[in-house]
Amino acid sequence: MKKTTPSLVILLLTFLLTRSVSFAQYNEVWIPPIQDASSYNLNIYDTIKQLVPTGNQTVTIGINGDFWGPTLVLHQGQNVQMNVTNYLNDSTTVHWHGMHLPAVMDGGPHQVIPPGSTWSPYWTVNNRAGFYWYHPHLHSMTAEQILKGMGGFLIVQDSEESALNLPRTYGSDDFPLVLTSRKFSSSNQIVLTDAYGDYMLVNGTRNPKLTIPKQLVRLRILNVENERGFDLGFSDNRNFTIIANDGGLLNAPMTVNRVKLMVGERIEILVDLSNETIGSTLELMAYNANQAFGFPGGEPNTTGAFGSLLNNTNFNVLHLVIGNPTQTPVVGIPSVLSNQTYWTESQATVNRTIQVTGGQPGIPFTLNNSSFALNTINYHVQLDDVEKWTLVNNQIFGHSFHIHDVQFKITSRNGSAANVGSHEQGWKDVVYLPRNENVTFVCKFNDYSDALHPFMYHCHFGQHEDGGMMGQFVVDQTNSLSELAVEKLILKPNPVEDKLFLIGLDDPEQVYYIRIFDQLGRTMYMLPKPNLTNGIDVSKLPSGNYLLELTDQQTKSIHKLRFIKK
Ligand code: C2O
Ligand code: CU
Ligand code: CU
């Protein structure tokens, strides 16, 4: 006895020690490189990344990298030009989630980028300062491409937000965090068919830790789960302050100790770490145990299509280690952040109701009993109308509803304004629609009409939108545009070395779309509503013969012009 007891203790100690050592193997969270420019090149590749600690690397999709893309800064009032080149073997699209822009620049399922081609949308940024994102939106492929890691952050800056004393030094006191989880096959590949992942990734980092300065910090958090919601809080139950959500700053900060964040939603919070000890730790947690029935990720199963090791449990999202403060920490939280007036239900002149339908075993979810079809326009909205949309979910499961083009105001839940959460005040583009509930929002469809390219509304759960839980609307306007006089159009110089000019246009606004094809008919460039004053940059095209197709804004008819690249 006397001999065995100490050896058992040693064994136990060794076991505990190795356990704690293996738990302590955190990886510092990757903070995507930030870029601040007026034109961005996004190159999308099939690539690989070591997402599982041992064994095979995982096939991923990277944008200028191996998982997730750069953080792009956009300035309100300025033009931004995107050059998106698809080096994947599949088609894709890139959607600017939350941006208010012309439908033809939106990057929804209609703005397909074939393999090997470059799509060059541009727009004038008019969103409020806030935290937005970009991601693929190819119909029936969205879940797979997002699960493989394709996406990135957008940070919009404006004078209102810049004037406030808030932490905004990227990666120093202001951290962007994308929360997502993955399930891996026995060969370490991402499981693309299941609803939930088993292992959390923060900015694509597994077992993530963030060294965070001992001061007031800002966390910008985005949920890019396939379906899971998070009920976020800190392991010591501390209060934190919500300053912004999807569409930018709230009018006043809100103090809470929990916040629910559903797929596609963003939240910006301030956390005061000034009283912590350097070297101490804190967990950002998901308190997902015992959520109301129908909460995505509340299922009891740990395996199978709706199973996950993280289901119906409280789990660590991010391990925070308190580090040295920065030189000039921001102190204090402004009591007033903004002064927005929101649309009210009585201002709406059009009411629409959207029911969650389908979803019986083996049948995909739909909206109003109609499954998404690329050629079906579900609604025609009149430019400048204020509309009230009521979403009705008489079913057993929650959904995360998103609309393109506009930011909306959530005016009521289950018929009462008092049920709207403190975390969802402010402008929103995603709203959680729990089981057996309804929610109403009001929005105005201003600035951008386009009879040809629609905007989407859909559930933001990957498999739900891919499965047809999506619809589309076009914004119509009544005034007409003049037809393009094409007889006199020529391309100059021809042959061309770098910039190609269209000569003979009365009004450059008359050009709706330009596509450039090579001799094999492959799309090389797609230029929606191109700004033609500086010419079309064709310097990257290999020498040869090309066909330029120009679409008329008014008639949408196509005109063809040929040119030679030197
Ligand atoms: Cu985040 Cu339809 O998009
Ligand atoms: Cu969107
Ligand atoms: Cu859904």
Side-chain angles (χ1 to χ4, degrees):
M1 273 307 246
K2 270 183 187 173
K3 270 186 179 175
T4 50
T5 311
S7 65
L8 263 178
V9 169
I10 286 164
L11 247 171
L12 193 66
L13 270 174
T14 319
F15 175 68
L16 284 173
L17 212 63
T18 42
R19 288 281 291 186
S20 67
V21 164
S22 72
F23 271 115
Q25 281 172 351
Y26 292 108
N27 304 307
E28 193 69 34
V29 161
W30 176 70
I31 303 292
I34 190 164
Q35 297 178 15
D36 189 344
S38 55
S39 137
Y40 295 105
N41 296 325
L42 299 176
N43 297 321
I44 308 164
Y45 295 96
D46 289 306
T47 178
I48 44 173
K49 179 171 173 146
Q50 192 76 49
L51 281 176
V52 180
T54 55
N56 291 341
Q57 300 196 77
T58 302
V59 173
T60 56
I61 296 179
I63 301 181
N64 305 355
D66 61 7
F67 194 95
W68 206 247
T71 300
L72 311 181
V73 177
L74 309 180
H75 299 270
Q76 192 187 61
Q78 293 184 4
N79 291 335
V80 62
Q81 165 81 53
M82 302 290 185
N83 299 307
V84 185
T85 304
N86 177 12
Y87 293 102
L88 302 174
N89 289 321
D90 273 318
S91 291
T92 190
T93 83
V94 173
H95 166 58
W96 320 103
H97 180 126
M99 289 288 109
H100 180 49
L101 40 59
V104 72
M105 314 289 181
D106 191 47
H110 293 267
Q111 288 90 46
V112 177
I113 315 171
S117 68
T118 300
W119 177 58
S120 298
Y122 70 95
W123 68 94
T124 304
V125 178
N126 54 26
N127 279 73
R128 301 177 68 221
F131 190 43
Y132 306 88
W133 59 301
Y134 56 95
H135 65 77
H137 215 307
L138 187 68
H139 185 50
S140 81
M141 289 291 287
T142 301
E144 168 169 341
Q145 295 185 340
I146 290 184
L147 279 165
K148 285 183 169 171
M150 186 176 158
F153 301 120
L154 299 171
I155 292 179
V156 175
Q157 297 181 339
D158 69 8
S159 53
E160 178 186 53
E161 192 269 348
S162 303
L164 292 169
N165 186 28
L166 292 170
R168 65 170 69 77
T169 309
Y170 184 83
S172 172
D173 62 5
D174 178 357
F175 301 93
L177 303 172
V178 53
L179 311 187
T180 182
S181 67
R182 293 294 182 272
K183 194 180 276 190
F184 297 97
S185 71
S186 54
S187 59
N188 290 355
Q189 301 313 306
I190 294 167
V191 173
L192 301 171
T193 47
D194 292 2
Y196 305 109
D198 286 332
Y199 301 98
M200 279 304 298
L201 301 175
V202 175
N203 300 353
T205 307
R206 181 131 164 211
N207 294 331
K209 78 160 192 251
L210 177 66
T211 308
I212 195 163
K214 173 186 154 62
Q215 68 197 62
L216 186 70
V217 295
R218 180 180 190 166
L219 303 180
R220 305 183 193 236
I221 311 176
L222 160 66
N223 179 343
V224 186
E225 280 287 60
N226 192 35
E227 288 198 14
R228 190 191 319 280
F230 297 103
D231 194 1
L232 295 171
F234 291 91
S235 49
D236 60 358
N237 255 326
R238 69 175 52 221
N239 285 334
F240 54 91
T241 304
I242 302 172
I243 56 168
N245 53 19
D246 302 350
L249 290 171
L250 309 181
N251 282 345
M254 305 265 173
T255 298
V256 297
N257 68 350
R258 290 282 186 279
V259 64
K260 285 201 175 73
L261 195 70
M262 313 310 286
V263 177
E265 285 189 306
R266 288 88 70 201
I267 201 98
E268 295 185 36
I269 64 172
L270 297 179
V271 191
D272 187 0
L273 301 170
S274 57
N275 293 324
E276 305 314 308
T277 311
I278 291 174
S280 65
T281 64
L282 181 68
E283 306 297 327
L284 174 63
M285 300 279 299
Y287 290 95
N288 280 15
N290 308 315
Q291 290 291 332
F293 188 73
F295 180 89
E299 293 92 328
N301 5 2
T302 53
T303 61
F306 296 96
S308 158
L309 300 178
L310 303 176
N311 273 359
N312 192 25
T313 178
N314 300 336
F315 58 89
N316 296 8
V317 171
L318 178 63
H319 182 70
L320 299 165
V321 181
I322 312 299
N324 292 319
T326 61
Q327 298 252 300
T328 48
V330 171
V331 178
I333 298 171
S335 58
V336 176
L337 298 167
S338 187
N339 180 27
Q340 298 291 303
T341 33
Y342 299 106
W343 306 118
T344 61
E345 293 186 11
S346 61
Q347 287 173 295
T349 54
V350 177
N351 298 340
R352 302 188 195 273
T353 302
I354 296 181
Q355 293 255 6
V356 176
T357 47
Q360 296 81 6
I363 296 173
F365 282 107
T366 47
L367 296 171
N368 285 345
N369 289 307
S370 96
S371 183
F372 178 73
L374 268 169
N375 296 321
T376 304
I377 301 298
N378 302 85
Y379 296 125
H380 282 263
V381 167
Q382 286 305 307
L383 185 68
D384 287 331
D385 272 1
V386 177
E387 296 200 0
K388 179 179 121 176
W389 290 33
T390 299
L391 314 171
V392 180
N393 181 6
N394 291 328
Q395 296 198 345
I396 55 159
F397 199 66
H399 300 274
S400 201
F401 185 91
H402 170 55
I403 182 169
H404 292 208
D405 183 24
V406 292
Q407 296 285 327
F408 52 75
K409 173 66 179 170
I410 305 172
T411 50
S412 64
R413 283 188 173 278
N414 304 322
S416 161
N419 294 331
V420 180
S422 65
H423 64 289
E424 51 186 12
Q425 310 295 328
W427 296 112
K428 294 279 293 166
D429 56 52
V430 179
V431 60
Y432 180 41
L433 180 57
R435 148 185 213 261
N436 279 338
E437 292 198 17
N438 61 68
V439 58
T440 299
F441 65 75
V442 181
C443 55
K444 181 175 181 180
F445 295 88
N446 52 3
D447 301 323
Y448 304 116
S449 62
D450 186 331
L452 199 66
H453 282 237
F455 290 109
M456 304 294 123
Y457 55 89
H458 57 93
C459 177
H460 219 295
F461 295 177
Q463 274 99 20
H464 289 192
E465 73 173 284
D466 281 348
M469 195 177 183
M470 178 155 74
Q472 51 190 351
F473 62 96
V474 294
V475 181
D476 290 329
Q477 68 170 357
T478 39
N479 63 322
S480 64
L481 298 144
S482 58
E483 192 174 344
L484 196 61
V486 283
E487 318 74 54
K488 43 182 187 166
L489 274 186
I490 50 164
L491 293 172
K492 253 189 168 171
N494 195 358
V496 57
E497 199 142 8
D498 45 12
K499 293 224 171 156
L500 193 60
F501 291 86
L502 261 166
I503 312 294
L505 279 180
D506 298 333
D507 176 7
E509 296 275 302
Q510 290 170 295
V511 178
Y512 178 76
Y513 216 103
I514 283 179
R515 281 190 166 81
I516 295 175
F517 300 93
D518 71 3
Q519 264 187 312
L520 299 172
R522 289 181 302 211
T523 311
M524 303 305 287
Y525 283 121
M526 291 177 294
L527 310 169
K529 293 188 180 173
N531 181 346
L532 296 168
T533 44
N534 297 325
I536 303 164
D537 185 357
V538 292
S539 58
K540 287 199 197 116
L541 287 178
S543 42
N545 294 303
Y546 292 91
L547 177 69
L548 184 147
E549 262 190 17
L550 181 152
T551 310
D552 182 337
Q553 171 77 40
Q554 169 66 3
T555 61
K556 300 293 185 309
S557 56
I558 287 173
H559 312 288
K560 299 182 178 184
L561 299 159
R562 296 194 174 272
F563 68 93
I564 295 168
K565 171 71 198 317
K566 275 199 257 191

